[in-house]
Amino acid sequence: MSVDFAIVGAGPAGMAAATLAAELGLDTLLLDEQGGPGGQIYRAIDRTHAEASNPSPLGADYLAGRSLVADFRASGANYRPATTVWHVDPDGALSVVSDGVSETITARRVLLATGAIERPLPLPGWTLPGVMTVGAAQILLKTADIVPDGRTVLAGQGPLLYLAAMQLARAGAPPAALLETTPHENYHAAARRLGSAWAGRRALAKGLGWQLALRRAGIPVRHDVRGLRALGRDRVERVVWDGGEIAVDYLLLHEGVIPNTQISLALQLTHDWDTAQLCWRPVVDEWGRTSLPNIAIAGDGAGIAGADAAILSGRMAALGLAAALGRIGEADRDRRARPIRAALALEQGFRPFLDSLYRPAPSVLAPPEDDTIVCRCEEVTAGQIRRGVRLGAPGPNQLKAFTRCGMGPCQGRVCGPIVSAVIAEARGIPIADVGTYRPRAPYKPVTVGALAGLGAAK
Amino acid sequence: MFRLRPEVPAATIVVEVEGRSLRVPEGASAAAAILLSGLASIRDTPVGGSPRAPFCMMGVCFDCLAEIDGVPNRQSCMVVARSGMRIRRQRGARNIDPAEAPGELPSFPIPESRSGGA
Amino acid sequence: MAEFDAIVIGGGLVGAAIAYGLARAGIAAAIIDEGDIAFRASRGNFGLVWVQSKGLGAPHYQRWTRLSAEEWPALARELGERTGISVGLEQPGGLQLCLSGKELEKRHAMMKQMRREAGNFGFEYRMLDHTELAEILPGLGSSVAGASWTPYDGHANSLNLLHALHKGFIERGGAYLPNRTVTEASAAPHDFRLQLGGEMITAPKVVLAAGLGNAKLAPLFGLSAPVRPQRGQILVTERTHRIWSLPLGSLRQTQEGTIMLGSSEEDVGFDTAQKPEIMRNIARRAVLSFPWIAQLQIVRAWAALRVMPPDGLPIYDQSEEFPGAFTANCHSGVTLAGAHANAFAPMVAAGALDPVMAPFSAKRFDVPAQA
């Protein structure tokens, strides 16, 4: 199969890009491994039955995703759900698998719109059953209308922490407590960015509204929480921190989100270490173009800016490609881009404030205790990584060879950021100089049979 | 344990988790079914034998690996529960039966052996 | 300016094995190694300790490989005892499957020639047909015509081997200097000064074991190492219970239970990108060999560059212009680890390669090819 424009990821960036691209006459295909559109933020938006009599606990922002999906469905873009991309060739060929059958799709341009993942929060005991991410709880609410049964505590920081607490409370499962880890130093740093705060005043007001609502609901919030650890034998039973503890059935973690760079790193695109967001991000121009001519990136996968910014950057990518392929003239492209750029500037204007307010403490990036598991898959601890560094392993890839850290099924998705931070701290150099794993295909497992059948006549 | 929101009149299907039948909402993942069943963990890690349960619910962490309808190592958060689905604990390494016919494979020519001087 | 008794340029399987042998002999040695992102054939290999196809038309290579396989158990035991790391050596013999009558014939001819060329040294092998194979390999595919078997083959955990060699080297007083490249070198007989960016190190002996980097380095030391990259790709499946006790040439099961699938050869320069068509071909041969493999998930795969001399045979050499400079180049760093640690390193320690190594010299490329 051959198309003009193949988009990986049906979240806000991917859907917006596909919609506009199709409207501009590009032969467009949107692929996503989930069975329905929406990415994670609008996950399962199709199944949400919200009426006035039964308002969804997920809130109006979530429901806004419906119009995005409707526009996409009306655009004429092709859509292949439940399809996993397991290899992207630098020249734009995709190897995909769906229901055990693999095929090659060639595209003149590929847009990666794979969004963000939760920043890993490696606290002692984080691998215990019952410890999950805040995002996981939201996904369960969105996809299955289920909530934790028992004492649930949320720990971490960021807007999503408050949003999720509100959603759980409205869904009849109010958390027993919120343990906010925002270091008090962050308030001083954030206070110096009032201009940025002003740019995001609506979002700020919304966040404050959530905090007030939580207080009214009687959900206790502890601030400047340090030294978090999860304790329990076969599952989490207690959460302890400096100066406090609480019995729990579920501990939900969140320290913000970071770009999902699995495919962009596999393609060896140029990445920078973002010192404000403390994450790796691929280098892109305003049209989403990367260091490879046929590969573009839009949305949170290029840097965290939220769903609305993702929609805008998806549209910029579509405009950029339409002009590059001659569907529209450059003047037309620039005319259409002007309002999008302006809106994007507003969205991005809020980031410096958010990024400084919710900057993770150093212990979130590099867990101080040697016993803490870093690689969940292969159960490699921070201490083992530090020992590997002392043995001379200069970076994550050599360390992988020595400790098996990063060789498990998640292919370093979860441990990657932690490993880079631990190595940097152990060697006394900036994370930017340490580098990352080099992920490889298959990006997700594919059977030997599906691979053998690639290109075979049916 | 997770529970269904009582306010929501969800259409449900019946699946089996470790031999126990339970009702789960249509569209829920196999991981959601595991959490609804009250099972403390769905697998033990191959390295240390530590108990694990779903963690991220979005296909990133691979902690939710379970045996679904006889096939092990499936990310249960990425599998939509279907009526009659059998979800079981992952038990160590896969126990494949070499004698079992794998089913129809498309035909293809024998690629050249390229092992050279290996 | 740091002084050593010997400097080994390259910390892969070849350099680490030689350096380990030197350190064990009481020689104050340093390993110079690149950083985290490097071609590093040692991180991409299959893990075979493979004998049966080595040295066709080159009996000296056949014997060197056999020697290495014989040294391997002692090396493995010693590394295990000294470092606590098990390199997982198993030498149960090996099978190379043939997927057609033609492949089988070719293989049989090869085995016969290996035996002829081995002369009094001997070369034991057997050819098995499909029926005999099916008795020892469950679920064997109907496409498999037969296989060659020798008792000499085996496999090991190559990452553990690299780790153990490094650990053993450091524990014997070796100095490991990563993140460095040789920016300048000045060579004189038994006197080598290497500039590594801002620092300089010197030694009366230097061993070039830098893999693909040797090609550029060698002339600085009066040596020649015309090696080129050859890409190979490998697939790794999920863990299963133990199915095979023997390595099967292009397929092997690791001690953890994963199954590794190879092999491939591509001449693409310094390009470590993966190619789905090649991965597909590897998968196809695996499925033809064992249909049940189709169900297994591939959880990991990679492409790496073999260090390939022009005729595929190792290059071992000592500099005539600058005595004290040596080089080791091969694409079988796992198989030859035994020889490198226990035979080559002692030669370097003694100051000269044994005359038996002469056929491995790069001088062989100077003469016109024999008719």
Side-chain angles (χ1 to χ4, degrees):
Chain A
M1 186 183 185
S2 199
V3 299
D4 287 333
F5 195 24
I7 302 167
V8 181
M15 281 195 288
T19 304
L20 184 53
E23 285 167 8
L24 294 174
L26 290 169
D27 183 14
T28 304
L29 171 65
L30 178 60
L31 302 134
D32 192 278
E33 58 181 0
Q34 296 293 340
Q40 298 308 325
I41 189 162
Y42 301 127
R43 181 126 173 221
I45 190 84
D46 270 356
R47 72 179 287 281
T48 299
H49 24 253
E51 305 104 34
S53 58
N54 193 8
S56 166
L58 295 163
D61 283 349
Y62 171 72
L63 296 175
R66 282 163 148 180
S67 61
L68 201 55
V69 172
D71 289 345
F72 165 66
R73 286 219 158 91
S75 71
N78 293 300
Y79 175 46
R80 297 256 230 120
T83 300
T84 301
V85 175
W86 62 263
H87 179 253
V88 177
D89 199 274
D91 62 23
L94 303 172
S95 301
V96 309
V97 65
S98 183
D99 204 17
V101 178
S102 186
E103 68 178 285
T104 309
I105 296 171
T106 53
R108 298 175 71 181
R109 178 162 299 170
V110 173
L111 179 70
L112 302 175
T114 53
I117 56 174
E118 293 260 4
R119 179 189 298 279
L121 211 189
L123 43 81
W126 69 308
T127 54
L128 284 168
V131 179
M132 302 174 74
T133 62
V134 161
Q138 289 181 305
I139 289 168
L140 286 160
L141 194 51
K142 289 168 184 168
T143 58
D145 279 303
I146 66 177
V147 293
D149 191 18
R151 281 173 81 79
T152 303
V153 166
L154 276 62
Q157 55 171 335
L160 219 64
L161 197 73
Y162 290 97
L163 173 60
M166 278 308 310
Q167 291 170 329
L168 287 170
R170 283 196 222 116
L178 245 70
L179 305 174
E180 197 198 51
T181 56
T182 304
H184 66 255
E185 306 88 78
N186 287 12
Y187 290 110
H188 305 308
R192 290 198 290 272
R193 288 173 170 79
L194 289 178
S196 168
W198 182 247
R201 57 196 177 277
R202 274 178 44 228
L204 212 54
K206 212 185 316 183
L208 285 167
W210 294 333
Q211 298 198 34
L212 274 166
L214 287 172
R215 194 167 309 163
R216 271 201 303 271
I219 295 170
V221 180
R222 305 258 179 285
H223 296 280
D224 200 9
V225 169
R226 296 166 194 253
L228 271 171
R229 52 180 67 236
L231 301 170
R233 219 191 48 174
D234 297 322
R235 57 170 298 129
V236 66
E237 291 160 14
R238 254 169 52 235
V239 177
V240 172
W241 64 96
D242 291 351
E245 69 170 85
I246 184 170
V248 298
D249 296 302
Y250 281 97
L251 173 63
L252 304 177
L253 307 175
H254 181 74
E255 277 278 351
V257 293
I258 55 177
N260 180 355
T261 52
Q262 197 69 1
I263 300 181
S264 56
L265 285 174
L267 284 165
Q268 300 198 284
L269 301 175
T270 306
H271 286 69
D272 276 347
W273 173 256
D274 187 319
T275 48
Q277 294 194 334
L278 294 179
C279 63
W280 291 98
R281 58 194 288 179
V283 175
V284 296
D285 68 11
E286 62 173 346
W287 309 109
R289 285 186 304 209
T290 67
S291 50
L292 278 175
N294 293 352
I295 313 287
I297 305 182
D300 272 0
I304 304 304
D308 292 337
I311 291 170
L312 298 166
S313 77
R315 292 190 181 137
M316 291 293 282
L319 283 177
L321 181 62
L325 294 184
R327 290 283 193 280
I328 59 176
E330 284 197 358
D332 192 7
R333 174 198 69 182
D334 294 339
R335 183 183 52 80
R336 291 170 190 258
R338 215 166 296 133
I340 301 176
R341 255 192 223 107
L344 250 176
L346 270 174
E347 292 295 321
Q348 286 160 347
F350 186 37
R351 290 311 311 181
F353 175 78
L354 275 182
D355 293 341
S356 58
L357 179 60
Y358 293 128
R359 187 179 180 81
S363 61
V364 170
L365 268 67
E369 287 175 51
D370 278 350
D371 281 348
T372 307
I373 287 182
V374 170
C375 169
R376 294 174 63 106
C377 296
E378 299 288 320
E379 296 181 280
V380 181
T381 64
Q384 282 171 274
I385 294 174
R386 289 176 178 125
R387 268 198 299 281
V389 170
R390 279 199 294 277
L391 206 63
N397 295 288
Q398 186 73 323
L399 199 78
K400 181 158 58 160
F402 281 179
T403 63
R404 291 193 64 84
C405 183
M407 284 178 72
C410 95
Q411 296 178 344
R413 281 173 173 87
V414 178
C415 65
I418 315 171
V419 172
S420 296
V422 172
I423 293 175
E425 184 195 63
R427 289 186 58 196
I429 62 176
I431 296 183
D433 295 345
V434 170
T436 66
Y437 290 134
R438 184 188 171 180
R440 300 292 231 149
Y443 308 143
K444 288 287 181 85
V446 61
T447 62
V448 182
L451 182 51
L454 190 63
K458 299 270 180 336
Chain B
M1 182 122 189
F2 267 64
R3 61 181 168 80
L4 249 117
R5 292 178 57 219
E7 314 79 37
V8 179
T12 59
I13 53 169
V14 175
V15 302
E16 255 183 49
V17 178
E18 278 289 273
R20 236 190 77 222
S21 289
L22 81 151
R23 285 205 162 274
V24 306
E26 234 171 33
S29 61
I34 291 163
L35 291 165
L36 275 171
S37 76
L39 218 59
S41 64
I42 192 56
R43 70 182 185 100
D44 298 318
T45 56
V47 177
S50 319
R52 293 292 173 89
F55 177 74
C56 80
M57 290 302 299
M58 55 183 275
V60 168
C61 74
F62 286 77
D63 256 325
C64 64
L65 298 176
E67 183 193 289
I68 298 175
D69 286 339
V71 180
N73 268 335
R74 299 183 68 183
Q75 285 180 292
S76 55
C77 73
M78 301 291 288
V79 174
V80 178
R82 302 246 176 270
S83 183
M85 184 171 269
R86 288 163 295 121
I87 302 162
R88 295 184 57 95
R89 281 185 80 80
Q90 180 88 323
R91 274 174 184 81
R94 184 164 182 169
N95 225 312
I96 193 149
D97 182 4
E100 199 180 292
E104 272 307 303
L105 282 172
S107 67
F108 41 76
I110 301 176
E112 286 278 314
S113 152
R114 310 207 59 203
S115 53
Chain C
M1 195 177 83
E3 289 177 35
F4 298 94
D5 291 343
I7 297 168
V8 177
I9 307 177
L13 282 172
V14 176
I18 294 169
Y20 172 75
L22 291 174
R24 188 182 53 192
I27 291 185
I31 293 178
I32 314 294
D33 209 3
E34 284 185 281
D36 197 50
I37 304 294
F39 287 119
R40 296 205 182 281
S42 299
R43 285 210 303 248
N45 60 46
F46 203 62
L48 292 175
V49 181
W50 202 248
V51 176
Q52 65 170 266
S53 47
K54 303 288 178 59
L56 187 71
H60 57 286
Y61 181 36
Q62 200 193 125
R63 277 196 290 279
W64 182 245
T65 307
R66 285 274 291 281
L67 181 151
S68 190
E70 281 160 24
E71 288 293 333
W72 242 104
L75 178 65
R77 206 165 32 242
E78 182 186 300
L79 286 172
E81 280 161 11
R82 291 191 181 182
T83 70
I85 296 170
S86 161
V87 299
L89 172 71
E90 287 175 21
Q91 289 175 299
L95 289 161
Q96 181 71 48
L97 303 189
C98 301
L99 293 187
S100 69
K102 207 173 83 179
E103 272 182 35
L104 191 60
E105 263 173 54
K106 210 167 145 215
R107 194 76 188 170
H108 194 178
M110 180 191 197
M111 294 292 109
K112 286 197 273 214
Q113 186 180 341
M114 292 283 283
R115 172 173 286 168
R116 239 181 0 255
E117 290 171 352
N120 292 332
F121 191 68
F123 179 80
E124 190 190 335
Y125 76 92
R126 266 192 59 208
M127 298 304 295
L128 287 84
D129 64 24
H130 178 99
T131 314
E132 293 169 293
L133 267 183
E135 280 167 28
I136 55 175
L137 297 176
L140 188 69
S142 56
S143 303
V144 181
S148 59
W149 171 90
T150 80
Y152 314 111
D153 306 304
H155 52 168
N157 184 322
S158 54
L159 292 181
N160 281 12
L161 173 64
L162 185 64
H163 191 187
L165 289 169
H166 273 252
K167 194 157 181 239
F169 172 71
I170 289 176
E171 282 171 3
R172 298 292 283 177
Y176 178 60
L177 309 173
N179 287 316
R180 290 160 171 88
T181 36
V182 176
T183 48
E184 261 177 68
S186 78
H190 307 290
D191 181 9
F192 304 97
R193 291 151 202 250
L194 307 186
Q195 198 72 38
L196 313 169
E199 56 189 303
M200 163 132 68
I201 60 175
T202 73
K205 288 193 168 93
V206 68
V207 181
L208 273 60
L212 293 170
N214 272 358
K216 277 216 185 88
L217 279 174
L220 299 174
F221 300 88
L223 290 162
S224 170
V227 293
R228 291 183 37 150
Q230 184 197 70
R231 187 165 74 192
Q233 300 192 43
I234 291 175
L235 316 176
V236 183
T237 73
E238 56 187 311
R239 293 172 154 109
T240 78
H241 73 287
R242 183 83 150 174
I243 298 176
W244 298 324
S245 49
L246 273 78
L248 305 180
S250 310
L251 306 168
R252 74 169 191 102
Q253 185 167 32
T254 67
Q255 290 189 330
E256 297 86 47
T258 61
I259 293 179
M260 295 180 71
L261 317 181
S263 54
S264 65
E265 295 168 8
E266 299 166 87
D267 196 354
V268 289
F270 291 86
D271 181 359
T272 54
Q274 294 164 283
K275 281 281 173 267
E277 313 86 70
I278 303 291
M279 295 167 75
R280 176 202 64 191
N281 290 347
I282 294 170
R284 284 184 173 179
R285 284 191 66 94
V287 166
L288 288 169
S289 306
F290 299 96
W292 50 264
I293 275 185
Q295 302 159 69
L296 295 180
Q297 292 189 78
I298 297 161
V299 297
R300 207 160 60 244
W302 62 82
L305 301 177
R306 295 185 185 89
V307 179
M308 194 53 71
D311 54 6
L313 307 176
I315 299 171
Y316 298 109
D317 227 335
Q318 54 195 342
S319 175
E320 284 175 359
E321 193 183 348
F322 306 117
F326 302 86
T327 185
N329 308 263
C330 70
H331 66 82
S332 302
V334 181
T335 302
L336 296 176
H340 289 156
N342 293 353
F344 188 80
M347 293 180 201
V348 172
L353 300 184
D354 284 359
V356 75
M357 303 299 282
F360 289 111
S361 163
K363 291 214 254 308
R364 69 185 191 258
F365 302 119
D366 296 340
V367 300
Q370 307 295 327

